[in-house]
Every structure is written in C-alpha cells, then in structure tokens.
Amino acid sequence: MRKIYAFITMVSLAVLTSCDAWLDVKPYDKMAQDELLSSEAGYMKLLNGIYIELNRDMLYGGAMSVEMIEIMGGAYVIGTDNSVWGNYADLAEYEYGTDYWRARLNETWNKAYSLILNCNLLLENLETTDVRFTGDNYKIIKGEALALRAMLHFDMLRLFGPVYSRNPEMLSIPYYKKYSVVPNERLAASEVAAEITRDLHEARILLANDPVRTSGTMTSAPSDGSSAFMYYRNLRLNYYAVTALLARSALYFGDNDAAYKYSTEVIDAAQEVFPFVDRNLVSGSPEDPDRIFSSEVIFALTHSQRNTVFKGYFDPSRIPNYVFRMDNDLMSNVIYGGGAVTGGSQDDYRYRVNWVATGANRYFYKYSDMVDSGSITNTMIPMIRLGEMYLIAAESRSADLEAGVSYVNRLREARGVSKLPTLTRKTLQYEYIRELYGEGQLFFMYKRMFSPVIVSSSDSRNPQPSDAIFVVPLPSSETDN
C-alpha cells in the first residue's frame, strides 16, 4: 500500500496571480504518497489537490453542477432531435439504463469515491504523523478533509440513495472512513446520514478557530508574500460552509430543528462575512455585472477555465448545436412571472443579469466571463450560497411554512422584488429555482420533497414523483463489487 501514488494531477493554473497564491502549489503528476505526507506543505498540497479535482467534468465542473444533475432537475428544455440533443433526450426521460448514462454515472461515482479515498489517506496519516504543524493548520486541514469526505458521501447518497423521507432504512451506499481499496458494505440510508452528520460535527469543532470567523473570507493574497493557505476562505470548506452543509443535510434527513439552527447561525453571521450583493455591482454596471453574487457565496470552487462551462453549455452562438436554456413560457410567465401565485417578477435581479435575450429566447449567462477576467470572482463555481440558508430556514421553520415567510421575504428584498403575503410549498419551490438555478440543487429539492419536477407551465406535463425518477440505479462498478 505504501507504494500507491496519490491521485493528484494538477490542472494548469495560468489564470490568476491570486488564484495561484491561494493554491500555493506547483504542477505535480502522480506525486509519491510518502513525499506528500512528509511535511506540512505536503498535506496542504494533498488537500488542495482534492479541491482541484472537484472541478472535473464528472463532478462539479459539469455533471453535478450545470449539466447532468440539472437536466434531471428539469432545468432545461431538451428536444427530441437526437442529431442535436444526442443522449440528453434519454436523460430528460429519466432513462438511466442506457449504455451512455450508465457509463457517465459510473464516472461520477468512481471519481467521488476516489476523492473520498484521498481524504481518508490524508486523515489517517494525520493521526500518526510526526510532522509539526503551524498554528491551527493541523485542525484546519483535518476539519476540511472531514467536511470534504462528508460532502461527497452526501451527494452520492442524494443521487443514488432512496427518497430519504420515504425509505430511510433502505440499503443505499457505502461510507468509507478508512483508506482502503477493498469494497465496503452498503449501509441503510439512515446509517449513512448518521456518518455524514458525525463527520460534519467533528469538522465544525476542528474549524472553531477558522480565520473566516474573525477576518472574513480574505479574498486577496497576503501582501508579505507568505503562504496563502489560510486565505480565500470562501474557496474552501470553512467553518460557515460546514455549518451550512449541516443545515442542508439536516433538512434532507428530516431534522427541521437542526436545519433551522444551523441555517440561522449562518444568516446571523452573514452581514459581516457573506453580505448580500451590492445592488450597484449587479444592476449598476450592466456591462460587467457580478452574476454569481459573489459576496454571498459561502463556498465555491475556483475553476481556472470557468468560461468553458458557459461556452460549452449555454452560449447561444452554439446554435444549431444544443444550448441549455429554460422553457421561455415557463421562465417569463411562471418562474419570473405569475404574480402572487409563483412570486415571480421580471424586476428580479436574478432574471435581469443571468438571462440575456437573443432573438425570441433568453439564455443563461451566470457563468459567462466578466470583463475583468483577472478577478477571482471570474473563476468561482458556487457550491453553497447565503440565499439557500434563508430558504432552508423558511422551509424548516414550521410544517405549514407560514412562520418561514419572513425569511423568504428578506431574501426577496435583496433580489429587488416585493414581499409575499404568505408561503406555500409551491412558491417556495419557485424561490429555490430562482436562487439556485444552474448550481446542481434542483433535482435534490424535488427528491427531498417527493414532488413533481417543474419543467413546464402546464402542470400536466410535469414528471410526477416516483422512485423510477428519483432513485438512480447504483453504478455497475459498485454492484459488480
């Protein structure tokens, strides 16, 4: 086992001085495990490598953010012409068993578990190392690695596990807590939930002295040229990001009290750390708007070639090739229309900056390049944002949602739209769509609520909830084991 090489193959990072400083690494290819684990800097490189690998297409650089998982969440119009849409037509019909989608789902599963293995490699060696760490670096490294392990397991459970609200004791996925290439037994979903929660709680304790709590996100490199490892805290699973993951997972696992507790803790801290975006940065300079509302992003990946995400999936110049976009009637008349029924308004900042008209259609521009291409904001792929915490607080506050309307209205005020007099599950779903579109969370929302997937302004055309839609078959790489 000692001769196994860590996975790290660093991507080219020729984009930003600030990004390079955050990573604080040189390109490595199959760096020997012993070499990585012999110094504090080696542990930092291994941890940074895991973050970088999250950007792969089969994970959050594509499949689990803007592509596969969003199609499953009904976010895009997918046509039936195979010459244009190819295998996407099958996925839009939830045909998971085709050779193509079985292979793609295998890739996502295998990559997630390979990163979990590397988290465990790091964690196990931390327990026995004689390396001396500076300040709180030991706790920060361990806390982030535990949180990464929990996050990856959580997303595999949400994707491949049962509908938790209906079958928490159903056999689901394995939970790996040790560095091993021997397959582990699958656990009941409730057991996986307990492991995820345990890891996140431990990570949160370890991150108690995270500098994000005293100095904010620190989104610039240190001026004295020292290591930037403890900077750019919104590009790492910082203390508040772990707290937000606890809120997200608690809601999914049906623990509304915990979901409310953790979401409101983040909300209470946000004014100082993750404030709502300045209106002038969104609507005041339309030639270069902050489309991702970067000040509100609690945790993001930094993708040096993020514009390729826009070019590959959303750029209208790709026509007649496929271009992902929302159904125009659904967008204009329901999601960003519909008045009190849906809470939609075309005055919404999210509509005005993220949707650009070309001809009769509007196209999704959240991930397009900013004019200031050297900004770290230009590389960010949001993983957790403040708006979701307001929606979790609203959803978890009471069974009838009435007591939660104030949280939704505080979010709506920050988006330039009027307050709602009351809140229903349907209007809450529309708010989730407006806030989290293109960030890989919609399918999981419908699965959690076990509700129809909104793909059309006509309810009769919306796929109805079922295990066939929401329970994705385990990859053959797991079932063969």
Side-chain angles (χ1 to χ4, degrees):
M1 184 70 73
R2 296 300 298 170
K3 295 301 181 183
I4 292 177
Y5 289 97
F7 73 88
I8 299 179
T9 302
M10 296 299 183
V11 294
S12 174
L13 295 169
V15 300
L16 316 167
T17 302
S18 57
C19 185
D20 289 337
W22 167 69
L23 291 167
D24 200 22
V25 296
K26 300 174 184 177
Y28 293 86
D29 187 13
K30 293 185 177 179
M31 192 173 187
Q33 175 178 311
D34 288 346
E35 187 179 350
L36 277 173
L37 301 173
S38 63
S39 68
E40 180 181 55
Y43 279 96
M44 291 175 177
K45 290 166 187 173
L46 178 54
L47 182 61
N48 284 343
I50 296 169
Y51 280 108
I52 292 170
E53 292 291 300
L54 294 175
N55 282 305
R56 295 292 187 180
D57 288 344
M58 67 281 287
L59 286 178
Y60 305 101
M64 293 295 289
S65 58
V66 300
E67 188 229 22
M68 178 178 72
I69 198 70
E70 287 293 81
I71 295 171
M72 293 162 62
Y76 311 131
V77 176
I78 303 295
T80 57
D81 185 347
N82 286 342
S83 67
V84 176
W85 293 98
N87 294 288
Y88 288 135
D90 292 324
L91 187 62
E93 296 296 324
Y94 302 100
E95 296 289 344
Y96 300 126
T98 67
D99 289 345
Y100 178 83
W101 288 109
R102 286 177 63 194
R104 288 286 309 276
L105 290 162
N106 257 4
E107 286 180 348
T108 294
W109 174 277
N110 291 340
K111 188 61 179 179
Y113 275 99
S114 76
L115 296 188
I116 288 168
L117 180 147
N118 277 271
C119 289
N120 287 335
L121 169 70
L122 187 157
L123 289 165
E124 287 187 19
N125 280 275
L126 274 177
E127 294 300 315
T128 58
T129 186
D130 56 4
V131 170
R132 296 181 66 85
F133 288 86
T134 307
D136 287 310
N137 284 356
Y138 175 91
K139 291 182 178 180
I140 297 292
I141 292 169
K142 183 176 180 179
E144 289 185 25
L146 280 169
L148 284 163
R149 181 172 82 179
M151 182 189 77
L152 287 161
H153 278 110
F154 180 47
D155 279 354
M156 292 305 97
L157 177 66
R158 290 197 293 175
L159 183 58
F160 294 101
V163 178
Y164 194 89
S165 61
R166 292 162 56 84
N167 295 298
E169 301 311 313
M170 180 176 286
L171 206 61
S172 61
I173 66 170
Y175 200 94
Y176 285 83
K177 295 191 290 183
K178 293 184 180 298
Y179 178 63
S180 171
V181 294
V182 177
N184 282 12
E185 294 292 331
R186 288 186 288 145
L187 304 176
S190 60
E191 294 178 272
V192 177
E195 295 288 359
I196 291 166
T197 304
R198 189 176 297 114
D199 272 353
L200 290 174
H201 276 303
E202 184 177 353
R204 190 167 177 268
I205 292 169
L206 288 163
L207 292 165
N209 293 328
D210 190 328
V212 76
R213 303 185 73 184
T214 54
S215 304
T217 54
M218 299 188 294
T219 52
S220 60
S223 57
D224 62 3
S226 60
S227 171
F229 182 76
M230 297 293 279
Y231 285 69
Y232 301 97
R233 296 308 296 162
N234 59 343
L235 302 181
R236 310 185 76 92
L237 277 170
N238 60 75
Y239 173 87
Y240 292 115
V242 172
T243 304
L245 273 177
L246 276 165
R248 179 188 281 177
S249 59
L251 186 70
Y252 194 84
F253 300 144
D255 188 347
N256 284 349
D257 289 343
Y260 182 74
K261 171 187 173 183
Y262 293 120
S263 61
T264 53
E265 179 181 339
V266 177
I267 289 169
D268 290 344
Q271 185 173 350
E272 298 296 327
V273 188
F274 305 104
F276 281 123
V277 68
D278 184 338
R279 176 176 179 173
N280 291 325
L281 297 178
V282 178
S283 60
S285 52
E287 75 284 356
D288 198 23
D290 181 359
R291 300 182 190 277
I292 64 167
F293 304 171
S294 60
S295 65
E296 305 175 18
V297 177
I298 301 169
F299 169 48
L301 301 181
T302 178
H303 192 319
S304 62
Q305 302 297 321
R306 192 191 69 182
N307 194 49
T308 62
V309 173
F310 171 73
K311 293 291 187 183
Y313 297 123
F314 303 109
D315 187 351
S317 68
R318 286 177 51 85
I319 294 173
N321 296 318
Y322 76 83
V323 179
F324 290 155
R325 59 180 177 83
M326 189 187 289
D327 175 86
N328 202 43
D329 181 49
L330 176 65
M331 178 172 60
S332 300
N333 298 323
V334 180
I335 304 300
Y336 293 104
V341 176
T342 67
S345 167
Q346 293 188 11
D347 291 330
D348 196 313
Y349 299 162
R350 295 166 292 195
Y351 177 76
R352 291 167 60 185
V353 301
N354 284 333
W355 295 92
V356 175
T358 301
N361 296 310
R362 284 183 177 267
Y363 296 88
F364 190 56
Y365 269 66
K366 179 181 282 187
Y367 297 111
S368 63
D369 256 351
M370 301 177 71
V371 174
D372 181 7
S373 60
S375 168
I376 195 77
T377 303
N378 211 39
T379 73
M380 292 168 68
I381 294 182
M383 297 284 284
I384 310 171
R385 65 169 56 254
L386 176 62
E388 184 185 357
M389 296 301 102
Y390 279 90
L391 298 176
I392 289 174
E395 186 176 345
S396 61
R397 186 58 178 142
S398 65
D400 64 2
L401 300 177
E402 294 294 332
V405 71
S406 63
Y407 287 101
V408 172
N409 283 337
R410 284 163 65 185
L411 175 60
R412 288 172 62 81
E413 181 181 8
R415 301 295 178 250
V417 291
S418 60
K419 294 181 178 181
L420 294 172
T422 187
L423 190 64
T424 66
R425 185 166 82 158
K426 183 64 74 176
T427 53
L428 183 61
Q429 285 183 326
Y430 288 131
E431 206 62 50
Y432 273 113
I433 295 170
R434 288 185 284 263
E435 186 67 13
L436 300 177
Y437 189 89
E439 297 185 13
Q441 298 302 317
L442 302 185
F443 176 77
F444 298 137
M445 173 193 70
Y446 296 123
K447 184 171 181 176
R448 182 183 75 245
M449 294 183 175
F450 199 68
S451 70
V453 177
I454 299 172
V455 301
S456 168
S457 57
S458 171
D459 288 344
S460 64
R461 293 176 56 195
N462 292 332
Q464 297 302 298
S466 69
D467 283 350
I469 286 177
F470 291 137
V471 183
V472 178
L474 286 170
S476 57
S477 59
E478 175 63 22
T479 55
D480 288 351
N481 283 332

